[in-house]
């Protein structure tokens, strides 16, 4: 017998709809319940100090807990306490290197340098170790290491234990570079050519060219000593890239960075210095011992490449004012006059105009454009104007004895490449390189969006790291700087940023960064950076490890970061979650503490933030008895 059937399909459909509606309402109710439960959990009191400092270690097969920014709990204060480090059982434990490597500079190693040609000081250039030679250990801090004094006190004082070298206090005693006072170094601000102090010396320059109206923002100091010139320019809102070789004047660059002043190891030898064309508003040499007249004037030609249209070159020391100093310099008047005449001739061939020579200072100015300079090649056959050259290419690129051409203009009064706003408007103004469309795919709209993006991101960083922007950090590095938005968002804080553009980045944006009024350099992160250990307080790495994961070992990059990061320094990683899980596993064996957080937009973004803090520890003193 068949089943009873109502005979009404409409009634059957109505019952089905009621059941489905009930099911939907039930699911929605459960979702709402769990949402409010999660929100309530986020309002619970923060975890205890012990749990807050717990190391979040994970293996590559599991994902560590990802927490919201409201529950961030790393301790970013300085303690100087030697502590242990928990590591996951899957982590690789990296041992400490021998104490003899406490000042190891892999690509400027003195022992390796002896294998290279001394002509043109090539042996002092970058010569990096092969992969098989690279150290796979953690560079130790010297016994007694302390975090540097906070800026601005650090400009004048540094702990002796951090850079235990007395050589300069003896060799440069009469020039007032550096003095030892108890357990500290003091930097009186003196220099070879400014015995009255860097401040007075800069005042003398200010009487000759404008230093305080915002038209000069970026400077380069070749052969910088302990960078007092750059240190005292900072209060005039001029940011200086100081460089000097690793040479017999032990630890010049290390002292500069210990003071909280921008600097890196470098030399003018056979390769271009690692900066783009038209980068600096001012270049300076104070008895920097560079043979400007030699090798067909190649070093002045290189200064011309990196100097902006209308930029200034300042020279003090031999041969300037030779009539007064020739006896002290132990050179004949004829020799010094011949040298100065040769420098004057090279400058004239570069189309520079001599602005003034007064006392110990001589100043030249680069032309605003090359209209007249091109015409003058009928008179000056050398140096010729370079052809088919990428003027921004400066990573392992040989110097050339030809003039880097400026962008073409039609008006004799026009600034080649475009005029810049004065500081501080330069920070937010669309840079000329972007306005002109010289960087493919980057428009003014992209630039403004990027600036807004990094303003928001840095505001979030400051919520995560309460001491960022408040004096705890001074020397900051952005390992993948892009358009410089990270540095721009910190422009009003007492920090400076070394903006690094990877040498093989899709877009060469370092020129844009300089046009914004910041400094930086090129770098291949499969190699070591040109600095001493423990010279940066905070490192920012956005998308960097994804970029390099198929080119070199992530562990090698992390070890290099550990080398240049101070004890109790901080690293902010921003990358995909799978890359950061690998990073977190590796740094578990590097004496770092870390915590992973969601992207600012929420947990569904595959990009995450990993914040790590390097623990305080030092090496053991060398055994003198062996």
């Amino acid at each position: 017998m068949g089943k009873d059937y109502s005979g009404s399909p409409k009634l059957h459909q109505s019952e089905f709809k009621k059941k489905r509606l009930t099911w939907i309402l039930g699911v929605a109710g459960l979702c709402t319940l769990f949402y409010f439960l999660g929100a309530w959990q986020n309002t619970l009191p923060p975890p205890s100090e012990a749990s807050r400092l717990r190391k979040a270690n994970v293996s590559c097969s599991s994902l560590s807990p990802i927490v919201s920014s409201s529950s961030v709990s790393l301790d970013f204060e300085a303690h100087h306490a030697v502590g242990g480090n928990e590591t996951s059982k899957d982590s690789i434990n990296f041992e400490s290197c021998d104490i003899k490597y406490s000042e190891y500079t892999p690509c400027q190693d003195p022992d390796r340098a002896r294998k290279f040609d001394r002509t043109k000081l090539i042996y002092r250039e970058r010569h990096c170790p092969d992969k098989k030679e690279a150290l796979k250990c953690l560079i130790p801090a010297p016994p007694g290491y302390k975090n540097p004094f906070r800026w601005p006190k650090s400009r004048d004082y540094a702990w002796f234990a951090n850079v235990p070298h007395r050589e300069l206090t003896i060799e440069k005693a009469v020039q007032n570079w550096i003095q030892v006072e108890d357990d500290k170094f003091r930097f009186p601000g003196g220099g070879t050519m400014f015995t009255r102090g860097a401040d007075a010396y800069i005042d003398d320059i200010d009487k000759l060219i404008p230093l305080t109206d915002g038209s000069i923002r970026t400077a380069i100091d070749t052969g910088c000593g302990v960078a007092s010139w750059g240190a005292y320019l900072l209060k005039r809102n001029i940011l200086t890239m100081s460089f000097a070789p690793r040479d017999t004047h032990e630890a010049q660059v290390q002292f500069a960075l210990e003071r909280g002043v921008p600097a890196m190891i470098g030399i003018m030898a056979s390769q271009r210095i690692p900066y783009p064309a038209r980068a600096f508003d001012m270049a300076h040499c104070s008895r920097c011992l560079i043979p400007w007249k030699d090798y067909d004037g190649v070093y002045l030609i290189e200064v011309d490449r990196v100097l902006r249209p209308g930029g200034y070159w300042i020279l003090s020391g031999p041969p300037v004012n030779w009539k007064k100093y020739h006896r002290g310099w132990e050179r004949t008047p004829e020799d010094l006059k011949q040298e100065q005449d040769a420098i004057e001739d090279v400058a004239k061939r570069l189309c520079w105009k001599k602005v003034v020579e007064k006392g110990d200072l001589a100043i030249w100015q680069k032309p605003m454009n090359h209209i007249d300079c091109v015409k003058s090649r009928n008179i000056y056959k050398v140096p010729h104007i370079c052809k088919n050259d990428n003027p921004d290419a400066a990573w392992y690129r040989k110097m050339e004895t030809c003039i880097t051409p400026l962008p073409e203009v039609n008006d004799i009064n026009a600034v080649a490449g475009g005029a810049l706003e004065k500081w501080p408007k330069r920070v937010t103004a669309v840079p000329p390189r972007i306005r002109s469309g010289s960087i493919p795919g980057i428009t003014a709209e992209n630039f403004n969006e990027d600036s807004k993006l990094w303003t928001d991101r840095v505001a979030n960083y400051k919520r995560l790291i309460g001491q960022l922007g408040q004096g705890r950090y001074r020397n900051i590095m952005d390992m993948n700087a892009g358009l410089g938005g990270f540095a721009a968002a910190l422009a009003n804080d007492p920090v400076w940023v070394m903006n690094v553009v990877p040498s093989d980045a899709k877009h060469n944006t370092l020129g844009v960064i300089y046009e914004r009024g910041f400094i930086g350099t090129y770098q291949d992160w499969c190699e070591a950076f040109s600095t001493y250990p423990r010279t940066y307080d905070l490192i920012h790495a956005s998308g960097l490890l994804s970029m390099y994961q198929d080119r070199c070992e992530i562990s090698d990059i992390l070890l290099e970061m550990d080398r240049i990061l101070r004890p109790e320094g901080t690293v902010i990683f921003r990358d995909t979650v799978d890359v950061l899980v690998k990073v977190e596993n590796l740094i578990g064996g590097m004496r770092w503490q870390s915590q992973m957080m969601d992207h600012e937009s929420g947990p569904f973004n595959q990009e995450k933030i990993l914040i790590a803090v390097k623990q305080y520890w030092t090496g053991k003193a060398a055994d003198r008895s062996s």
Side-chain angles (χ1 to χ4, degrees):
M1 189 174 180
K3 291 182 180 180
D4 292 336
Y5 185 67
S6 66
S8 174
K10 291 184 178 180
L11 178 61
H12 178 75
Q13 290 173 3
S14 176
E15 290 176 355
F16 175 75
K17 288 179 179 178
K18 287 179 181 178
K19 290 180 181 179
R20 189 170 71 171
L21 180 62
T22 302
W23 183 81
I24 291 171
L25 290 173
V27 172
L30 286 172
C31 289
T32 303
L33 175 64
F34 285 120
Y35 173 81
F36 284 109
L37 179 61
W40 172 77
Q41 286 177 328
N42 275 337
T43 64
L44 291 175
S48 65
E49 185 71 14
S51 64
R52 290 193 309 148
L53 296 178
R54 179 174 56 84
K55 180 81 173 65
N57 290 314
V58 295
S59 69
C60 291
S61 61
S62 64
L63 182 62
S64 68
I66 299 176
V67 300
S68 69
S69 59
S70 62
S71 61
V72 175
S73 51
L74 286 178
D75 183 0
F76 298 101
E77 289 294 338
H79 302 290
H80 308 307
V82 179
N85 185 55
E86 298 177 11
T87 62
S88 81
K89 57 186 177 182
D90 296 320
S91 296
I92 301 172
N93 285 313
F94 294 93
E95 300 296 328
S96 169
C97 303
D98 189 278
I99 192 65
K100 69 181 181 181
Y101 292 108
S102 68
E103 294 182 353
Y104 183 51
T105 53
C107 297
Q108 285 90 8
D109 180 53
D111 292 334
R112 185 177 299 103
R114 295 189 187 100
K115 303 175 184 178
F116 294 90
D117 193 351
R118 300 183 72 87
T119 304
K120 294 180 70 173
L121 303 179
I122 289 173
Y123 74 107
R124 287 184 179 167
E125 292 182 319
R126 284 178 61 90
H127 302 291
C128 299
D130 294 334
K131 187 175 181 180
K132 61 184 178 183
E133 297 179 90
L135 295 180
K136 298 287 186 178
C137 51
L138 304 174
I139 301 297
Y145 178 90
K146 301 179 183 179
N147 275 338
F149 295 100
R150 291 193 175 190
W151 183 265
K153 186 175 181 179
S154 66
R155 185 192 69 179
D156 302 323
Y157 291 96
W159 296 111
F160 179 84
N162 292 10
V163 193
H165 293 288
R166 294 180 180 270
E167 292 90 340
L168 284 175
T169 67
I170 299 168
E171 185 172 344
K172 302 293 183 181
V174 298
Q175 296 167 10
N176 233 16
W177 280 26
I178 183 171
Q179 300 170 356
V180 177
E181 295 181 354
D182 299 323
D183 59 348
K184 298 183 289 294
F185 287 111
R186 187 170 74 87
F187 302 91
T192 306
M193 291 307 299
F194 34 97
T195 53
R196 294 182 297 124
D199 231 2
Y201 176 80
I202 293 169
D203 285 339
D204 290 341
I205 297 174
D206 192 29
K207 295 172 184 175
L208 305 176
I209 58 175
L211 294 183
T212 56
D213 68 351
S215 59
I216 294 176
R217 165 62 181 174
T218 57
I220 184 169
D221 191 11
T222 54
C224 65
V226 294
S228 288
W229 190 70
Y232 283 85
L233 278 171
L234 285 167
K235 68 180 184 181
R236 293 166 169 85
N237 285 322
I238 296 175
L239 193 58
T240 305
M241 176 68 80
S242 299
F243 72 83
R246 176 165 183 157
D247 62 0
T248 54
H249 298 337
E250 197 70 49
Q252 293 178 84
V253 166
Q254 192 174 13
F255 276 124
L257 288 157
E258 197 70 15
R259 300 174 72 182
V261 179
M264 60 187 292
I265 300 172
I267 191 169
M268 298 191 80
S270 68
Q271 296 170 356
R272 286 180 171 179
I273 49 181
Y275 316 116
R278 312 194 315 274
F280 299 100
D281 304 313
M282 177 170 62
H284 175 255
C285 164
S286 175
R287 203 172 185 182
C288 59
L289 305 180
I290 295 173
W292 298 112
K293 66 179 180 61
D294 294 347
Y295 310 113
D296 299 319
V298 68
Y299 300 131
L300 271 184
I301 291 171
E302 176 64 359
V303 170
D304 180 78
R305 182 184 71 85
V306 300
L307 204 57
R308 279 198 54 76
Y312 298 96
W313 183 58
I314 302 169
L315 177 64
S316 65
V320 177
N321 209 359
W322 55 265
K323 293 180 181 178
K324 177 180 178 181
Y325 292 113
H326 70 90
R327 289 188 179 86
W329 293 336
E330 297 181 348
R331 292 176 60 184
T332 65
E334 294 76 17
D335 179 36
L336 287 163
K337 183 180 184 304
Q338 184 181 25
E339 181 180 348
Q340 179 149 358
D341 289 344
I343 290 173
E344 301 269 12
D345 182 62
V346 175
K348 187 179 296 184
R349 291 172 181 272
L350 290 172
C351 308
W352 293 3
K353 175 186 175 182
K354 190 168 187 181
V355 176
V356 65
E357 181 173 338
K358 185 175 181 180
D360 298 340
L361 293 164
I363 302 177
W364 287 261
Q365 186 175 25
K366 180 176 176 175
M368 291 292 184
N369 57 64
H370 272 169
I371 291 178
D372 285 339
C373 198
V374 170
K375 294 177 181 177
S376 72
R377 294 311 92 184
N378 294 325
I379 301 172
Y380 302 116
K381 302 300 181 184
V382 292
H384 62 275
I385 307 291
C386 300
K387 296 180 180 179
N388 302 320
D389 180 48
N390 178 1
D392 290 341
W395 185 248
Y396 292 123
R397 180 71 175 264
K398 292 291 184 183
M399 290 184 188
E400 298 182 56
T401 52
C402 57
I403 300 173
T404 299
L406 291 173
E408 292 184 5
V409 295
N410 296 320
D411 185 346
I412 191 66
N413 297 312
V415 178
L420 291 175
E421 294 282 357
K422 291 186 176 181
W423 181 264
K425 290 184 178 180
R426 280 173 71 166
V427 178
T428 54
V430 178
R433 277 174 164 88
I434 293 178
R435 291 202 309 264
S436 66
S438 62
I439 303 179
I442 299 180
T443 65
E445 183 180 4
N446 299 147
F447 172 80
N448 290 325
E449 290 173 352
D450 184 79
S451 296
K452 174 64 167 61
L453 177 70
W454 282 107
T455 297
D456 295 341
R457 287 179 171 181
V458 170
N460 183 49
Y461 292 161
K462 289 182 176 181
R463 288 190 291 270
L464 302 178
I465 306 173
Q467 292 292 311
L468 179 58
Q470 297 181 22
R472 171 70 177 83
Y473 305 97
R474 172 64 182 171
N475 302 355
I476 297 178
M477 174 181 284
D478 191 355
M479 296 177 72
N480 186 21
L483 299 176
F486 174 76
L490 292 167
N492 295 322
D493 296 327
V495 303
W496 65 269
V497 180
M498 179 68 78
N499 294 280
V500 180
V501 172
S503 56
D504 58 349
K506 181 179 179 181
H507 298 298
N508 184 350
T509 55
L510 193 54
V512 167
I513 290 168
Y514 274 94
E515 288 179 342
R516 299 187 77 174
F518 303 114
I519 59 172
T521 185
Y522 298 112
Q523 173 68 23
D524 180 348
W525 284 114
C526 291
E527 300 179 358
F529 192 76
S530 292
T531 192
Y532 284 85
R534 302 172 301 281
T535 45
Y536 285 88
D537 307 307
L538 185 144
I539 298 174
H540 180 245
S542 177
L544 181 89
L545 298 180
S546 290
M547 181 188 302
Y548 277 92
Q549 63 179 338
D550 296 326
R551 293 192 48 214
C552 48
E553 296 293 332
I554 286 181
S555 60
D556 290 340
I557 298 176
L558 293 174
L559 285 170
E560 174 61 6
M561 294 168 76
D562 182 84
R563 183 184 76 88
I564 67 179
L565 187 66
R566 297 192 194 281
E568 300 181 318
T570 300
V571 180
I572 303 173
F573 296 96
R574 175 184 287 272
D575 223 308
T576 59
V577 67
D578 56 327
V579 168
L580 293 185
V581 168
K582 296 176 184 177
V583 170
E584 202 169 24
N585 187 55
L586 286 166
I587 64 178
M590 289 174 55
R591 312 189 197 193
W592 289 16
Q593 295 175 316
S594 66
Q595 190 164 5
M596 198 181 297
M597 280 147 272
D598 285 325
H599 188 274
E600 293 88 353
S601 64
F604 299 109
N605 195 313
Q606 279 295 302
E607 184 177 80
K608 305 296 178 186
I609 300 168
L610 179 67
I611 297 183
V613 178
K614 178 178 175 178
Q615 288 186 288
Y616 177 87
W617 62 277
T618 67
K620 296 180 180 179
D623 185 358
R624 303 294 183 185
S625 61
S626 58

